[in-house]
Amino acid sequence: MKTMYLDLSLPRLALTRALGRISRAAYFAPTAPLHLADLPDPPLPARDWVRVRNRMCGICGSDLHQIFVDAGLDVAPVALPSHQRIYLGHEMVGDVVEVGDAVRDLRVGDRVVRWGRADDCRARGRAELCPACARGHRVLCEFASEPRAHHPIGGGFGDSFITPASTLLRVPDALSDAQATLVEPAAVAIHAAMRRPAQPGERVLVLGVGVIGFLLIQAIRALQPACEITALTQFDWQAERARQYGAQHTFLARDDGFAETARLTGARLYEKRGNRMLLGGWDVVFDVVGIEATLNNALRWARAGGTVVLVGVNLRRMKLDVTPVWYQEVNLIGAVGSDVVTWNGESLSTFELAMRWMQEGRIDSAGLVTHRFPLDEYRRAFLVAADKRRYRSVKVAFELGDDKAAA
Ligand SMILES: [Zn+2]
Ligand SMILES: [Zn+2]
């Protein structure tokens, strides 16, 4: 199998981070963690495993953080036992090509996306599920870092991979491959929107509009048609799209966010020696960027008793002023992965809800995949995904599979 992985040995990470400051070529050099390799096709290691041949796979912001070694070694997740090798590509759609004889829910020929991790309670076949797995928020599994018998091999950035069947979900025929690769980010966005559902008449700020931001605007709108959504964007073209997807107001990162918040929410702005604070502000802020500057702003722009939902992925320590948390009782909560939610009285995964909303047109995913590359052009694909200013990229995806290679 042809597959892309990261070799996370410390010397490689340290060297690549140092050289990367001089040239981006360092991230693609033989000394870098990133590898595209031809490996022997592994046999299925257990009866409940399957083999999937990829059709398409989106590039996620979290992939880029890892490829460009954008992480501190003093943040919490680093304390977990890590695997030396991480296979890249989770926003995949592919075809099941082989099933173990204990697999019940999937058949050869099924088109699937990946929705669970290969190390959670279900994938391990644990009879008793941990609380997170039991309620369907499998990314928070308590047993995820325990040793396991078999490791998945391969990921979405490659031609195929093997994984426990419980990590896969069938895709309806009505969804295109491009839509299917957006199901994972849409499921993440719906989960985030449901962490603090907007109420009628509330003012909501979506801070940052990559693909998650655009999907989040639509998810918030689908959950609450009667709220007011403002999007903070980096570029004019993103503001235009944010309005298409349902934001009533937009302002730009280079604008004065304190003044814009005061204007759009009626908050009062106070200033002393360059230190600024608002009384009043947004009912909910979704920080989809999640860096020091945006999170500090989000905490100050939320009204007393309002909520900041941290959606953006950042593997660095930050210096935060958390006085809004006690002085204004601003709630700071996080959102990660997908979970199981109740929608119209029905309990279902945000993956299933994402697929349904795409089919119903509540989530418009047309045009979100802006660039497609064959796997061999991965350097260019990653650079295009990382440089939104230059390429106006939203979701960059690899086109995989034999038919694409032959075409
Ligand atoms: Zn992702
Ligand atoms: Zn679990």
Side-chain angles (χ1 to χ4, degrees):
M1 63 160 65
K2 194 174 182 183
T3 193
M4 191 175 287
Y5 65 89
L6 293 170
D7 173 355
L8 295 179
S9 65
L10 268 180
R12 273 185 192 276
L13 292 173
L15 178 67
T16 304
R17 188 143 61 162
L19 294 175
R21 292 199 188 100
I22 303 160
S23 163
R24 286 219 145 181
Y27 302 112
F28 305 120
T31 47
L34 186 68
H35 296 274
L36 179 59
D38 261 309
L39 304 178
D41 279 327
L44 299 183
R47 297 171 60 221
D48 60 340
W49 282 51
V50 302
R51 188 184 315 275
V52 176
R53 189 180 301 137
N54 292 312
R55 300 170 66 94
M56 197 168 176
C57 188
I59 299 170
C60 178
S62 65
D63 298 323
L64 298 175
H65 281 295
Q66 296 188 77
I67 291 161
F68 295 121
V69 201
D70 181 16
L73 293 175
D74 55 354
V75 293
V78 177
L80 298 173
S82 69
H83 309 291
Q84 277 290 98
R85 185 178 279 194
I86 289 184
Y87 294 96
L88 290 171
H90 56 272
E91 299 178 2
M92 55 69 56
V93 58
D95 298 315
V96 174
V97 291
E98 186 184 347
V99 297
D101 60 9
V103 173
R104 296 281 167 270
D105 303 336
L106 294 174
R107 273 189 280 181
V108 169
D110 282 346
R111 199 167 56 128
V112 291
V113 292
R114 190 157 67 182
W115 73 320
R117 49 193 302 166
D119 49 12
D120 67 12
C121 290
R122 278 174 206 230
R124 289 167 186 274
R126 285 175 50 85
E128 198 179 324
L129 304 181
C130 79
C133 289
R135 68 172 190 272
H137 200 166
R138 297 165 65 180
V139 69
L140 301 185
C141 177
E142 289 179 13
F143 293 90
S145 281
E146 289 298 297
R148 53 186 154 151
H150 311 295
H151 288 273
I153 299 178
F157 297 172
D159 50 22
S160 64
F161 64 92
I162 56 168
T163 187
S166 69
T167 64
L168 301 171
L169 196 63
R170 223 183 349 247
V171 185
D173 292 342
L175 296 185
S176 68
D177 283 345
Q179 284 178 307
T181 63
L182 292 165
V183 167
E184 192 267 353
V188 168
I190 296 170
H191 167 63
M194 287 204 164
R195 285 286 280 145
R196 169 53 173 86
Q199 304 301 308
E202 281 194 329
R203 296 189 179 99
V204 178
L205 176 68
V206 174
L207 202 168
V209 286
V211 74
I212 296 281
F214 289 135
L215 292 165
L216 185 55
I217 290 168
Q218 300 183 66
I220 296 166
R221 177 65 70 224
L223 290 173
Q224 182 47 262
C227 69
E228 198 176 287
I229 303 174
T230 299
L232 194 174
T233 75
Q234 212 176 349
F235 312 114
D236 288 309
W237 64 269
Q238 290 173 323
E240 221 165 277
R241 288 194 98 155
R243 283 191 292 269
Q244 282 168 27
Y245 292 128
Q248 283 102 327
H249 312 282
T250 57
F251 63 96
L252 292 170
R254 64 169 178 269
D255 294 335
D256 180 344
F258 283 83
E260 291 297 320
T261 298
R263 179 175 71 85
L264 290 163
T265 68
R268 277 153 294 280
L269 172 59
Y270 302 93
E271 180 162 7
K272 199 181 282 177
R273 289 188 291 271
N275 188 5
R276 303 202 290 172
M277 175 162 173
L278 295 160
L279 289 182
W282 307 101
D283 297 292
V284 193
V285 181
F286 291 92
D287 182 356
V288 193
V289 183
I291 59 174
E292 193 171 299
T294 57
L295 191 51
N296 272 306
N297 282 337
L299 289 168
R300 290 194 185 201
W301 297 349
R303 67 162 165 81
T307 298
V308 174
V309 184
L310 177 57
V311 185
V313 168
N314 181 358
L315 281 167
R316 293 190 177 279
R317 281 199 184 210
M318 293 188 249
K319 194 173 169 192
L320 293 178
D321 170 22
V322 295
T323 53
V325 173
W326 65 268
Y327 189 68
Q328 294 287 293
E329 294 198 350
V330 170
N331 303 289
L332 173 59
I333 61 175
V336 66
S338 63
D339 70 343
V340 170
V341 295
T342 303
W343 169 248
N344 284 345
E346 189 184 348
S347 173
L348 75 180
S349 151
T350 56
F351 263 84
E352 294 163 295
L353 198 50
M355 294 190 202
R356 193 177 297 182
W357 283 0
M358 280 183 185
Q359 291 177 85
E360 292 170 356
R362 284 175 196 268
I363 287 184
D364 173 10
S365 55
L368 284 177
V369 175
T370 52
H371 299 76
R372 300 166 189 231
F373 292 95
L375 188 61
D376 287 335
E377 289 177 30
Y378 65 90
R379 293 179 185 83
R380 182 158 169 77
F382 294 143
L383 292 174
V384 167
D387 195 342
K388 294 185 163 71
R389 178 189 303 274
R390 184 156 169 202
Y391 300 104
R392 297 193 170 195
S393 49
V394 181
K395 178 57 74 184
V396 180
F398 288 116
E399 289 199 306
L400 308 154
D402 297 339
D403 45 338
K404 304 291 183 333

